[in-house]
Amino acid sequence: MSDEVTLRPATPADAAALLSLLGQLAQETPFLLTDIADLQVAVDVEAAQLQQLAQADNNVLFVAVLGDELVGMARVTASAAPEIQHIGEIGVAVLHEFWGYGLGTALLEEVLAWAQANPLIRRLELTVQERNQRAYQLYQKLDFQVEGKSARGFYDTEDGFQTLIRMARLIDHQ
């Protein structure tokens, strides 16, 4: 097994591994802003969603792969509506075991390179919990700007209400 992590776009063949990754992420980090019920889909349904994603010009899902295991992911989701198809919502997650190795940075830089090369994408947005300082500092380092905060924007069953920070980066094409 190689000990080098590679980044690549996800394919429908990644459906089972992606669901496994998301399940593990949901168990080990309080920072995901997703409903656990969203992760409980059948592998064939996830594969179909990945196929649909691959066919959309303004959506992408990159996975970080170590050997044959997915250890992280970064997703950009955008609407098909012409008025807002230029806005991509980012989600990034890395298994706790791989924190501190620059994998989140590498995934986000892959997203930024993709966005720069994509003629449709002109704005990237994300939401981060204020207590997640590691992610917040990464986004700042990569020139995402704070656009607002939402007090009590997220409820953690163990830690109570959390403030969310809304950030964005404009993409100017050369």
Side-chain angles (χ1 to χ4, degrees):
M1 179 173 82
S2 167
D3 53 12
E4 184 175 314
V5 175
T6 57
L7 307 180
R8 62 170 174 76
T11 68
D14 294 317
L18 184 60
L19 289 171
S20 177
L21 170 66
L22 292 170
Q24 186 174 345
L25 287 165
Q27 294 297 313
E28 67 181 34
T29 180
F31 301 134
L32 286 185
L33 300 177
T34 188
D35 183 351
I36 196 74
D38 293 342
L39 307 178
Q40 298 171 342
V41 299
V43 172
D44 61 331
V45 172
E46 183 68 15
Q49 290 174 346
L50 288 170
Q51 183 64 40
Q52 226 175 6
L53 184 75
Q55 294 171 345
D57 291 334
N58 58 350
N59 289 264
V60 72
L61 174 62
F62 291 107
V63 290
V65 185
L66 177 63
D68 56 3
E69 178 187 7
L70 300 187
V71 298
M73 47 90 47
R75 182 176 187 151
V76 177
T77 307
S79 173
E83 301 83 3
I84 56 173
Q85 69 181 355
H86 66 284
I87 302 170
E89 178 75 26
I90 297 176
V92 179
V94 174
L95 291 177
H96 190 268
E97 175 184 350
F98 295 90
W99 288 8
Y101 293 104
L103 193 49
T105 300
L107 282 162
L108 203 48
E109 287 173 342
E110 192 78 11
V111 162
L112 292 171
W114 171 84
Q116 192 66 47
N118 186 312
L120 289 176
I121 299 296
R122 299 304 302 262
R123 175 183 171 86
L124 293 172
E125 300 177 338
L126 59 88
T127 303
V128 61
Q129 292 181 38
E130 187 171 55
R131 66 181 171 168
N132 189 355
Q133 284 298 300
R134 172 179 252 134
Y136 176 68
Q137 289 170 4
L138 168 61
Y139 301 140
Q140 282 188 310
K141 178 177 86 172
L142 294 175
D143 297 325
F144 283 81
Q145 303 300 311
V146 173
E147 292 191 329
K149 292 186 177 186
S150 298
R152 298 184 189 170
F154 181 80
Y155 183 77
D156 183 304
T157 56
E158 291 185 22
D159 296 326
F161 288 107
Q162 301 298 315
T163 297
L164 298 180
I165 301 172
R166 188 86 175 144
M167 303 179 81
R169 177 171 164 170
L170 300 182
I171 303 298
D172 294 317
H173 300 285
Q174 295 348 4

